[in-house]
Amino acid sequence: MPVLCSSCAGKRAVLKRPKTGHSLCKECFFWAFEEEVHQTIVAAQLFKSGESVGIAASGGKDSTVLAHVMKLLNERYSYGLELTLLSVDEGITGYRDDSLETVKRNQQQYELPLKIVSYEELYGWTMDAIVKQVGLKNNCTFCGVFRRQALDRGALMLKVDKICTGHNADDVAETVLMNILRGDIARLRRCTAISTASEGDGVVPRCKPLKYAYEKEIVLYAYFKKLDYFSTECIYSPNAYRGYARTFLKDLESVRPSSIIDVIHSGENLSVRDGVRMPVQGTCARCGYISSQALCKSCVLLEGLNRGLPKLGIGKHHRLHHKILSQEPLTEKEERKLKAVEF
Ligand code: SF4
Ligand code: ZN
């Protein structure tokens, strides 16, 4: 006997919701998923009417679902938002070039404007060129730091009030776990926040409307809605550490589906003891972007690339910042250390 949808009791159930275990028909699942995102947006007051919002769009499932749902809810509930797709081209042949084609199709499908900013135009380096110099061990450090700044620069060009990103519940839970394992208190405190205010000039507030959406449900939503998205992994994706956290979380989820939300709640409820030293935010002496050191991470990484010293921005070399700024030459020993690359 076919199982009936536990919500409408009229149609046949086609799926079991990973988050709740309820058997639902397609339409009731769509409605439940969309309403939960709407509730998240309303409860956290993520947007104000009249705001212009950049949707970080990579062509992957998360950002494609985000763009689709943001457009739909903006119309259904008259949020009054002006939406634009904002993409970063890291310059990864065989990956980002293809996924950007997906974003361009999404732009047509959703009738939203699209802005693409590229590492090449912003930094003079593509990820292909960076990997040639730094190898496959630290490439994601470069990519992650550059992406964060690239999104801000794109948002400033577009003059949007906010950026929303497709981070889902699994991403947030993984990040909580990683920050606990690394003892990174400052990041642990920030990573569960659903929205961040501007931390200074050049930093655009960000929010995560899919913060409570399970990855499995995003995949189901994209699949049943037949959304056009790109599902190939980045060809330079080692990111082993996140991979372990991910596998661990998936194991927990298979035993107890609520584990993902439980980890997020644990992260949200951790409080930091008074007196724990937090990095003080200032601005980069070179580019003016926020930084807790004399130079921002992006400028140090870039300096390392341009000087053929790829390890300059990897690890802690803060004491070299003044030398970089004053263009004082490095000692032979320092140069040797910063050149070594493990491929
Ligand atoms: Fe960049 Fe690493 Fe992500 Fe590839 S896997 S897009 S190199 S951060
Ligand atoms: Zn800088």
Side-chain angles (χ1 to χ4, degrees):
M1 247 224 341
V3 179
L4 284 184
C5 171
S6 65
S7 181
C8 66
K11 289 199 200 110
R12 246 178 95 157
V14 294
L15 60 92
K16 211 175 166 117
R17 264 197 87 176
K19 202 172 185 176
T20 59
H22 293 152
S23 302
L24 296 178
C25 70
K26 249 195 308 192
E27 282 68 28
C28 288
F29 169 64
F30 293 155
W31 186 259
F33 183 90
E34 291 153 6
E35 281 309 290
E36 279 176 20
V37 179
H38 173 59
Q39 288 309 325
T40 304
I41 291 173
V42 172
Q45 300 179 333
L46 295 188
F47 308 109
K48 283 205 261 330
S49 179
E51 275 181 339
S52 120
V53 177
I55 302 173
S58 67
K61 62 178 184 345
D62 300 309
S63 61
T64 305
V65 168
L66 178 68
H68 175 87
V69 173
M70 282 297 295
K71 179 170 165 85
L72 184 141
L73 294 177
N74 192 31
E75 286 164 10
R76 183 184 292 164
Y77 293 106
S78 309
Y79 288 166
L81 303 176
E82 198 184 306
L83 303 174
T84 306
L85 299 173
L86 173 57
S87 294
V88 176
D89 180 1
E90 297 93 344
I92 303 176
T93 315
Y95 168 64
R96 187 54 85 217
D97 42 2
D98 294 339
S99 64
L100 281 174
E101 287 309 311
T102 313
V103 179
K104 287 176 194 161
R105 287 198 302 276
N106 289 161
Q107 174 198 12
Q108 307 285 321
Q109 291 150 358
Y110 304 148
E111 297 171 319
L112 293 174
L114 164 69
K115 166 91 188 154
I116 302 176
V117 285
S118 75
Y119 284 5
E120 188 158 35
E121 98 199 44
L122 295 177
Y123 308 110
W125 286 82
T126 61
M127 272 313 289
D128 286 339
I130 292 173
V131 168
K132 272 203 193 104
Q133 192 185 114
V134 311
L136 279 172
K137 199 143 183 266
N138 294 307
N139 56 307
C140 292
T141 303
F142 286 81
C143 197
V145 171
F146 287 167
R147 183 180 305 108
R148 183 178 155 77
Q149 216 184 77
L151 273 176
D152 275 324
R153 298 227 221 153
L156 289 177
M157 290 178 207
L158 286 170
K159 297 195 174 62
V160 292
D161 301 299
K162 248 164 223 169
I163 303 171
C164 61
T165 60
H167 291 102
N168 60 41
D170 298 51
D171 297 327
V172 177
E174 277 164 24
T175 311
V176 170
L177 284 177
M178 282 165 66
N179 287 332
I180 290 175
L181 295 173
R182 285 196 288 230
D184 193 331
I185 304 295
R187 285 211 175 84
L188 182 59
R189 206 150 74 155
R190 268 182 281 144
C191 75
T192 55
I194 189 158
S195 60
T196 53
S198 173
E199 298 162 78
D201 283 349
V203 185
V204 180
R206 296 193 181 194
C207 64
K208 306 173 188 140
L210 301 182
K211 181 186 167 189
Y212 296 110
Y214 277 29
E215 179 167 74
K216 280 185 176 166
E217 301 211 343
I218 291 175
V219 173
L220 284 174
Y221 187 88
Y223 172 77
F224 282 113
K225 280 269 177 191
K226 297 194 173 64
L227 300 186
D228 183 4
Y229 69 93
F230 185 79
S231 52
T232 310
E233 280 250 337
C234 170
I235 48 170
Y236 302 138
S237 158
N239 220 334
Y241 205 62
R242 183 171 282 276
Y244 290 129
R246 167 166 286 253
T247 310
F248 175 59
L249 200 69
K250 289 273 174 243
D251 287 348
L252 286 178
E253 188 194 11
S254 65
V255 184
R256 200 170 62 150
S258 69
S259 298
I260 294 171
I261 289 292
D262 296 341
V263 171
I264 297 180
H265 286 156
S266 303
E268 286 169 341
N269 291 320
L270 284 177
S271 58
V272 181
R273 183 162 39 88
D274 281 349
V276 172
R277 260 185 44 218
M278 291 288 173
V280 182
Q281 294 289 22
T283 48
C284 170
R286 183 167 286 176
C287 73
Y289 195 71
I290 46 152
S291 172
S292 50
Q293 305 297 328
L295 286 169
C296 74
K297 190 86 174 162
S298 196
C299 281
V300 179
L301 289 170
L302 206 52
E303 178 84 12
L305 286 172
N306 292 335
R307 283 214 206 170
L309 304 170
K311 284 211 145 172
L312 190 61
I314 310 291
K316 304 225 180 303
H317 302 292
H318 304 150
R319 47 180 194 82
L320 294 179
H321 287 194
H322 72 276
K323 282 198 171 182
I324 301 172
L325 275 168
S326 59
Q327 297 187 338
E328 216 180 297
L330 303 176
T331 64
E332 230 175 81
K333 197 171 149 213
E334 283 166 347
E335 289 240 359
R336 229 183 8 253
K337 252 174 75 188
L338 297 173
K339 259 189 193 136
V341 170
E342 302 132 68
F343 277 85

